[in-house]
Amino acid sequence: MAAASTIPTRITQMLGCKYPLICPGMSWISTAELVAAVSNAGGVGILATGPLSPQETREAIHKIRRLAPNKPFGIGATLLMPGSKENAKVALEERVPLINVSLGKPDWIAEGA
């Protein structure tokens, strides 16, 4: 069976993925392995950084890049949660292509991107 071709949508064009499927950053579920699997399958995986320290976030980003080279992925940052600002800063430093923000003002993230 032949693989499906890219489904052209605004999402696929904007994010550089094959299919308009995004796996959200769900705490304790959206690990580096799941994010890489979704991105390798043609969607976009988003790493849950809520339960991670900044160092763990950096290590997870590096792991995603090893497991899914040149594939789109992102991280989630719930800005009202402890540690989220530090994790978002790590994502900016690592030049993560997508930062999904919730519960806060992301102006500084947009300016840093």
Side-chain angles (χ1 to χ4, degrees), residues 43-97:
V44 176
I46 297 179
L47 176 70
T49 63
L52 304 179
S53 70
Q55 183 59 36
E56 291 169 325
T57 296
R58 191 176 308 278
E59 290 168 3
I61 290 167
H62 292 176
K63 187 171 193 174
I64 293 164
R65 287 193 165 127
R66 278 194 313 276
L67 295 173
N70 302 312
K71 300 291 183 178
F73 72 97
I75 67 112
T78 305
L79 297 178
L80 291 181
M81 299 299 289
S84 63
K85 184 174 184 178
E86 292 81 4
N87 284 333
K89 284 181 181 177
V90 167
L92 288 170
E93 291 168 7
E94 293 291 333
R95 306 204 44 83
V96 171

